[in-house]
Amino acid sequence: MFPGCSHVHYHNLTEEDDRKIWEFAKEQEFRIVTQDADFTEFSRLLGSPPKVIWLRCGNMPTIEVEKLLIFASEAIDEFINSLASECLEIY
């Protein structure tokens, strides 16, 4: 559904602070999908890239997050292609 996706685990970033993850995502031209509000603050302060997709769904099983992302895929595509938006909130 979303080609090119990755996870911090695959880049040895699971123990790194948010700023290091932000810089990595910027350098690699990734978008950040997160439940962590800290990244939305970075997007407000620093702008994009990277763009942030903020999952506001609370803790739920991975399969439910996947369903949410699939449901929101059209909005995500529009967000990624928008020059104006820096953060997309998905509920």
Side-chain angles (χ1 to χ4, degrees):
M1 167 108 305
F2 298 104
C5 290
S6 194
H7 191 278
V8 292
H9 173 78
Y10 300 125
H11 303 280
N12 297 316
L13 295 169
T14 52
E15 301 298 320
E16 297 294 341
D17 64 23
D18 291 345
R19 185 61 184 244
K20 176 121 183 184
I21 294 168
W22 177 271
E23 292 300 325
F24 178 82
K26 183 176 182 174
E27 291 168 8
Q28 299 299 314
E29 298 182 2
F30 281 128
R31 285 85 179 181
I32 296 174
V33 179
T34 185
Q35 290 183 320
D36 186 345
D38 292 348
F39 289 106
T40 64
E41 292 301 318
F42 284 154
S43 72
R44 287 185 189 108
L45 294 171
L46 304 173
S48 63
K51 290 187 171 216
V52 176
I53 300 170
W54 187 16
L55 302 177
R56 303 287 308 269
C57 57
N59 290 333
M60 60 174 49
T62 303
I63 190 71
E64 296 302 318
V65 173
E66 181 180 352
K67 288 177 187 177
L68 180 65
L69 291 170
I70 290 169
F71 179 77
S73 63
E74 188 174 314
I76 292 169
D77 286 338
E78 288 177 19
F79 167 69
I80 288 170
N81 294 314
S82 167
L83 297 176
S85 301
E86 295 171 348
C87 182
L88 174 66
E89 295 183 38
I90 298 177
Y91 293 87

